[in-house]
């Protein structure tokens, strides 16, 4: 009898564990993103509107992000290239304007704006995780050298401790405590990027609810509208360079 009771209890524990695992998976969102900063804005929206829902994120490139959406490897995605597909919902989530961030003693510090041509050949500190920035750098700064860092705290420390130029708003680092530097707008069209939140029309219910929340009151709209629905008010995720 004791062995029979233990077997029943073991089966019950397995059933409860399975239900708990299923529930936790249902309350988690899988998100692929090309922008850490845009992902932060989405994460804060989810925390505000859907308490208890976890955001399970993966960094990826624009080449991979839509493949992950269409193959249902993720529930939502953030991309810098607006997809034009009949089976997906799309809305702007964040605009990013890249700016040069240099010490006040730098020769370009007093300029009202600069171009990438004027910057090519310099050495820069950059955030290795910035999809938009890294793509722009390859196209427009072929003669430049880059000190690319993934750790944002280390990046901030180096910005504070050195006079090496960097970029505002292409790095997801906060400007609090970063003194003695100025932002100079970059005039090239490629210095601007719009990020889009994307999900399948038949995505899981939770993903569609998050998309609805973003459209209603959640994330920044650049006025261009959306493929499926209307605009939203901006939510400040945190103060970031150039933002």
């Amino acid at each position: 009898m004791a062995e029979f009771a233990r077997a029943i209890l073991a089966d019950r524990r397995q059933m409860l564990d399975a239900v708990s695992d299923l529930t936790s998976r249902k309350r988690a969102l899988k998100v692929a993103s090309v922008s850490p900063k845009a992902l932060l804005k989405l994460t804060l929206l989810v925390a505000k509107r859907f308490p208890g829902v976890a955001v399970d994120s993966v960094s990826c490139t624009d080449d991979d992000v839509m493949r992950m959406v269409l193959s249902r490897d993720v529930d939502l995605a953030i991309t810098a290239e607006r997809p034009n597909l009949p089976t997906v919902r799309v809305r702007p989530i964040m605009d990013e304007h890249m700016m040069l961030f240099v010490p006040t003693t730098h020769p370009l510090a007093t300029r009202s704006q600069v171009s990438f041509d004027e910057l090519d050949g310099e050495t820069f500190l950059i955030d290795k995780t910035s999809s938009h920035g890294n793509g722009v750098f390859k196209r427009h700064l072929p003669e430049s050298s880059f000190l690319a860092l993934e750790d944002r705290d280390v990046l901030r420390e180096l910005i504070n401790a050195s006079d090496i130029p960097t970029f505002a708003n292409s790095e997801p680092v906060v400007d609090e405590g970063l003194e003695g530097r100025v932002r100079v707008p970059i005039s090239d069209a490629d210095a601007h990027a719009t990020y889009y939140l994307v999900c399948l029309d038949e995505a899981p219910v939770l993903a569609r609810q998050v998309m609805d929340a973003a459209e209603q009151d959640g994330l920044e709209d650049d006025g261009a509208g959306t493929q499926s629905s209307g605009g939203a008010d901006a939510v400040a995720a945190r103060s970031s360079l150039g933002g």
Side-chain angles (χ1 to χ4, degrees):
M1 178 66 73
E3 290 183 3
F4 180 69
R6 281 195 293 269
I8 292 176
L9 288 174
D11 289 343
R12 181 175 181 274
R13 280 194 297 270
Q14 289 179 354
M15 181 184 69
L16 291 175
D17 289 343
V19 170
S20 175
D21 180 62
L22 179 62
T23 301
S24 65
R25 284 191 281 114
K26 283 186 175 180
R27 300 297 291 173
L29 277 170
K30 295 180 182 177
V31 181
S33 178
V34 302
S35 166
K37 188 175 169 186
L39 177 63
L40 175 63
K41 294 182 73 110
L42 177 64
T43 301
L44 290 179
L45 173 71
V46 171
K48 171 187 173 185
R49 293 291 300 272
F50 303 91
V53 172
V55 175
D56 183 9
S57 64
V58 57
S59 297
C60 63
T61 65
D62 277 311
D63 292 336
D64 294 331
V65 67
M66 286 310 300
R67 175 188 56 78
M68 298 179 74
V69 172
L70 296 174
S71 63
R72 300 179 185 270
D73 291 333
V74 295
D75 304 313
L76 291 162
I78 296 171
T79 175
E81 297 181 4
R82 182 173 188 145
N84 185 23
L85 298 170
T87 58
V88 300
R89 295 176 62 182
V90 184
R91 76 170 315 280
I93 180 175
M94 186 186 77
D95 280 339
E96 184 173 60
H97 303 275
M98 189 184 299
M99 305 179 80
L100 181 67
F101 194 53
V102 291
T104 55
T105 55
H106 192 279
L108 297 175
T110 58
R111 293 279 299 276
S112 60
Q113 64 179 18
V114 295
S115 68
F116 284 123
D117 283 344
E118 295 175 279
L119 301 178
D120 197 18
E122 288 223 39
T123 297
F124 296 96
L125 286 167
I126 63 170
D127 181 357
K128 191 175 183 179
T129 67
S130 172
S131 175
H132 171 225
N134 291 326
V136 169
F137 302 150
K138 288 180 181 178
R139 289 191 296 273
H140 294 287
L141 301 175
E143 301 301 321
S144 290
S145 300
F146 301 98
L147 302 177
L149 301 170
E150 290 189 40
D151 190 313
R152 297 168 202 164
D153 291 332
V154 174
L155 178 61
R156 292 181 76 255
E157 290 178 8
L158 284 177
I159 292 173
N160 254 334
S162 74
D163 59 0
I164 302 174
T166 186
F167 295 93
N169 216 12
S170 60
E171 281 94 0
V173 294
V174 297
D175 61 357
E176 180 182 354
L178 295 178
E179 301 175 350
R181 288 185 177 242
V182 295
R183 304 181 186 97
V184 183
I186 298 174
S187 58
D188 301 65
D190 253 4
H192 167 82
T194 298
Y195 294 101
Y196 300 93
L197 184 63
V198 179
C199 79
L200 289 173
D201 284 335
E202 297 181 355
V205 172
L206 180 58
R208 285 180 276 138
Q209 289 174 336
V210 170
M211 179 69 83
D212 289 339
E215 291 170 349
Q216 291 164 7
D217 69 19
L219 300 174
E220 181 177 276
D221 193 340
D222 65 356
T226 69
Q227 183 164 308
S228 298
S229 188
D233 295 329
V235 169
R238 61 178 174 177
S239 174
S240 61
L241 291 177

